[in-house]
Structure formats: C-alpha cells, structure tokens
Amino acid sequence: MAYAADAQAKAPSNGTAKKGASAAAKAAKDNKKTAPPKSKPSSTDSKADTKSDSKAANGSKPPATPATQQLVNHDYTDYAIVGEDDLRLLDENSPLLPNPASEAEAAAREELRGMSCAYGPLKKKNAGGVLEPFPGKLSEVLERTDLDDIIDWMPHGRAFIVKKPELFTTNVLPRFFRQTKYRSFTRQLNLWGFKRITRGADGGAYYHQLFLRGRPYLAMRMRRQKIKGTGMKLTPNPDGEPNFYNDWPAMPPLSDRRVLPPLPPLFSEMLWMQNKGAATGKATDGMLEAPGTRSGRIGVQGGMNDQNGMGGMALDAVNMAAAGLGGKAAIDRVSENLLNALKYSVR
C-alpha cells in the first residue's frame, strides 16, 4: 500500500500531462516555421553530376577545343615532282608518258590522276561560274613584273604575298578581279583552299600545294570549296606550317624575256576612254562626212595606216565606241597600246 501511494504521488495529474503535450507541440510548430526550407536538386545539377560520374567512370577527358573549331591542316604534298608536260600526258592517258623516276613521283601521279581539272581547256565546271576563275587570274597577276612591288611570289615560288594591300586594293583588284575590297579577295583565297602562314620568313604569305610558280596547268586542278553555312571555324596552327626554305625545293624563276600584255583599264579609265572616243568620233565623223572631203578621208586613213596599220584599228574602235557598238571590245582594242595611234586620228 505504501508503494502504491508513493507511485500515485509521483505520477503527474492528467491536467499537467495535457499542458506539457500542448507546449511541446507548440515548440515544434515554431521550430518548423523558423527552419530554412530544404533545397531540391535542380535537373541541370543532376545531369551535370550524371555526366561527371560517367566521365569519371570511363576515364575520358573533355575536349580541349569546342566542337565548332578545327585546327588548320598544313599537310603538304610536292606535286611539282610531276613535270608540266608529263601532267598533260597523264590527263590524256597517253602511251608516251614516261615511267616515273621515283616512288614519290609515282604516288604523286596517282593522286593527280584522281583530280579532274576544275577549269581550263578540259573542263569548266566548279569554277565559280566564270570561264577564267580566280586561280587563273591570280597567276596572271603574279606573272607580271610591273606589279611585283605590290604582289609577288616568295623566293621559293611556293607561296605569294601582297606587299602593299592598300595599293593592291585600289590598283589591282578592280583591274583583274572586279572587286574593290581586300576582304573579298581574302575570302576568295579561303574558298579556293589557300592557307595563310602566320610566322617566320613567309609570315603573311598564302600558299596552296597546287598553286606554284610557273605551273599554271597544275593549278587547274584546284577546286572551289563550299564552306558557307558549315559552322566550322578554323583555328591557326603555326606549329604545323610548312618551311618551304628547308623542306621543299624552290620552283624555277619566271623568264624575264616574256612580253607583258597591257594592263586592263580601271573603271574610271574606261569611262574616260568612252567619253574621249565619243568626242573624237563625232569630230572625225563631221570631218569625214563633209562634202568634197572624200580625198581627205582617204588621206587620213592612209597616213594612219602608215603607222603599222594601228591607226585604222584605233579609228574603228573609236567609231564603235561613239556609235555605242562593240562596248567592251572597242574599249579593249583602244586600251591595248592603241592610244598613241588614237592621237593621230585627232590631229
């Protein structure tokens, strides 16, 4: 009985127990309000963790450059080992083609056999829609000794450089390429597969393994590339650039005895010649068509014919330009060293 009484005395009453339970519930509720919310892992974090776990499991490393970039490939083959005459015989499958002198020449022949001419006398496709495409015009410019202070071959003849870009833009591009921006010229270089050397003695020069000094027939195998819209950006690769002074033989120099054709006229020069020709044509027409001047007409033409027959050609070109006939043909005829003969027609 005494033990039961002690236990009954120590046990709390029902009211006290209810008060303690309500106090505990209130404290728990307050703690829940003040506690910071638990953050849920985002989907990107979970994907990143999954990728990192998979890479760690496979032992692979992430790429050093983005997928949209690629290093410039400077692999170089010496196709000059096949002579120009042998190259023609190779295209014609001629039995007169001699045996290759080395294994390297045999390998180069096989590669060239698989390259069809993109322009020239054999084919005219893939040349950008023109009869004389960009490489042909560029070869013509580089063959001119009167422009070598503006653009010229490097000493080895396997690359060329524009020495004076500003003068090249104003005096050469409009004459040969019908362009007025240097950026358009470099874009054409990229489309035709030229590569730029960024350092060393050839820094700033452009080269192509099929574009060599004195080898125009070899350049006919160059092809115009389609790089627009590919999303591929080439990254310079100086360590892979060729050293043409040590690794490859130099190309023979061009002959200094070749006769240079006259420079094509600039657009401003064409307009001047057109206006000059029109005025001269009107003056000569008035003089030659006047009554009783038939003998004088013959005398003028006879005197001009004494100038190696060039005066008559100049007069014909002037009359064509004045009449609006012939267009570019008339201007070309005047521009080809006939300006001196043209002076005789207005005396």
Side-chain angles (χ1 to χ4, degrees):
M1 293 295 292
Y3 176 77
D6 295 337
Q8 188 175 2
K10 292 180 179 180
S13 62
N14 292 335
T16 306
K18 290 181 180 180
K19 291 181 179 180
S22 61
K26 186 177 181 181
K29 189 175 181 180
D30 295 339
N31 292 335
K32 186 176 181 181
K33 290 182 178 180
T34 57
K38 295 182 179 180
S39 61
K40 295 181 180 181
S42 62
S43 58
T44 55
D45 294 339
S46 60
K47 290 180 180 179
D49 294 340
T50 305
K51 290 182 180 180
S52 60
D53 293 341
S54 61
K55 288 180 180 180
N58 297 332
S60 61
K61 297 181 180 180
T65 57
T68 57
Q69 290 186 353
Q70 181 180 350
L71 293 177
V72 177
N73 183 9
H74 289 286
D75 292 343
Y76 191 86
T77 302
D78 184 18
Y79 292 114
I81 196 173
V82 181
E84 196 82 348
D85 295 335
D86 293 345
L87 191 58
R88 293 189 178 92
L89 297 175
L90 183 68
D91 286 337
E92 298 170 358
N93 293 322
S94 173
L96 300 178
L97 180 66
N99 294 326
S102 61
E103 295 182 359
E105 183 178 353
R109 283 187 182 184
E110 289 301 317
E111 293 184 13
L112 292 172
R113 196 187 301 272
M115 302 178 190
S116 59
C117 291
Y119 67 95
L122 298 181
K123 291 185 179 181
K124 297 179 181 179
K125 66 178 183 179
N126 197 30
V130 294
L131 296 179
E132 186 182 7
F134 182 80
K137 294 181 180 179
L138 184 58
S139 298
E140 180 182 353
V141 171
L142 289 168
E143 288 178 358
R144 302 189 64 96
T145 55
D146 54 351
L147 297 177
D148 55 8
D149 59 333
I150 302 176
I151 178 174
D152 196 11
W153 290 102
M154 300 303 292
H156 44 70
R158 294 180 179 269
F160 74 93
I161 188 171
V162 179
K163 299 179 180 178
K164 300 177 181 178
E166 294 183 0
L167 194 57
F168 178 80
T169 303
T170 57
N171 196 39
V172 178
L173 280 182
R175 294 181 186 272
F176 294 91
F177 302 97
R178 298 181 180 234
Q179 296 174 349
T180 58
K181 296 181 179 179
Y182 188 74
R183 184 176 181 181
S184 300
F185 174 74
T186 57
R187 182 177 181 273
Q188 287 295 321
L189 291 176
N190 293 329
L191 287 174
W192 283 93
F194 285 89
K195 299 173 183 178
R196 187 174 183 270
I197 301 177
T198 60
R199 67 182 184 184
D202 290 341
Y206 291 88
Y207 78 94
H208 192 292
Q209 57 187 359
L210 294 173
F211 192 79
L212 306 173
R213 181 172 58 197
R215 299 297 306 270
Y217 198 72
L218 186 63
M220 293 179 185
R221 285 168 163 75
M222 297 176 62
R223 306 193 71 83
R224 192 172 186 268
Q225 303 173 355
K226 296 181 179 180
I227 60 175
K228 185 177 181 180
T230 59
M232 188 67 64
K233 183 180 180 181
L234 297 179
T235 303
N237 183 18
D239 295 334
E241 295 173 357
N243 187 343
F244 293 121
Y245 296 93
N246 298 331
D247 299 339
W248 312 101
M251 300 301 299
L254 298 174
S255 174
D256 293 334
R257 297 180 180 179
R258 63 189 184 280
V259 178
L260 297 178
L263 283 172
L266 294 172
F267 182 73
S268 58
E269 296 173 347
M270 294 173 64
L271 291 179
W272 179 85
M273 285 188 291
Q274 261 188 332
N275 296 333
K276 184 73 174 178
T280 305
K282 291 179 181 179
T284 54
D285 287 344
M287 178 185 66
L288 298 178
E289 296 300 329
T293 56
R294 180 174 178 80
S295 59
R297 181 178 185 177
I298 297 174
V300 170
Q301 290 184 349
M304 291 174 64
N305 289 334
D306 291 340
Q307 304 296 327
N308 300 324
M310 296 178 65
M313 296 175 61
L315 183 58
D316 291 341
V318 170
N319 290 333
M320 290 172 65
L325 302 176
K328 183 176 183 300
I331 296 173
D332 289 343
R333 293 178 66 180
V334 176
S335 64
E336 292 177 359
N337 287 343
L338 296 179
L339 292 178
N340 291 332
L342 183 61
K343 295 178 182 179
Y344 290 97
S345 67
V346 296
R347 288 183 179 180

